[in-house]
Amino acid sequence: MAQAAPVPGGMARRGPTEVEGRAAKAPSRPPDIFDERTHRIAHIAVPVVLGLVYGYWVAANDRDGGAITGWNLLLGFVSALVFAVVCVALLTLAPRMWREVHALLWTAFVGCAFGFLYSQAGETALRSTGMALAVSAATFIVFFYRYYTREDAVGHRIR
């Protein structure tokens, strides 16, 4: 046996705010290791990279293993541009909304993006709509829970 034997009174229950005989501090925010410039660059660079990945995926689904054409490239770049612009707009505007609207905006974005991507694979419009609604429902549940537990009623983050 490698465990120590329990001592009577040694495992006394401490209060929820007492840690090793002193009062516990309120939970603090983790340190921010990046400066403001890095955050500004990432605010644009991440949606652009995600947009390029999305555009490539749309173009690949559209061509279905066939030859790469000019229209296929145009579809990919336009899809990437629209995805990146809408993503930047959501990252800028959505945090200023109420938590319910915040979740709905991201849900609509994810649902539309998934539905369009799914439709490029050659599926019917009804099947693409159904799959997009299913993904949107799951997205709304996750985002609403996240914002409901981390924001107050007017959308300010709880610190």
Side-chain angles (χ1 to χ4, degrees):
M1 276 181 71
Q3 292 86 9
V7 180
M11 296 294 289
R13 180 161 166 77
R14 295 182 179 146
T17 60
E18 188 179 312
V19 178
E20 296 180 7
R22 58 180 189 257
K25 292 187 221 176
S28 62
R29 213 172 146 190
D32 193 4
I33 58 173
F34 298 115
D35 62 349
E36 187 62 34
R37 180 176 174 265
T38 306
H39 284 284
R40 278 195 314 268
I41 292 170
H43 187 76
I44 300 297
V46 170
V48 167
V49 170
L50 289 176
L52 288 172
V53 170
Y54 181 80
Y56 172 76
W57 200 349
V58 167
N61 278 356
D62 182 60
R63 72 183 177 95
D64 196 29
I68 298 174
T69 64
W71 290 112
N72 188 254
L73 287 174
L74 181 65
L75 174 68
F77 282 118
V78 169
S79 299
L81 179 68
V82 169
F83 185 94
V85 167
V86 173
C87 191
V88 167
L90 278 176
L91 286 172
T92 304
L93 299 176
R96 298 178 183 154
M97 305 292 175
W98 292 341
R99 59 186 173 204
E100 295 85 3
V101 177
H102 193 172
L104 277 174
L105 288 173
W106 280 108
T107 298
F109 175 66
V110 169
C112 290
F114 181 82
F116 181 68
L117 184 65
Y118 196 79
S119 72
Q120 295 304 307
E123 295 295 333
T124 65
L126 185 62
R127 174 115 174 138
S128 297
T129 304
M131 292 298 287
L133 287 174
V135 168
S136 294
T139 303
F140 179 74
I141 290 168
V142 170
F143 281 173
F144 182 77
Y145 175 77
R146 182 184 187 278
Y147 298 136
Y148 191 79
T149 57
R150 290 175 174 80
E151 293 180 354
D152 62 8
V154 277
H156 299 112
R157 290 192 177 127
I158 299 172
R159 302 252 182 228

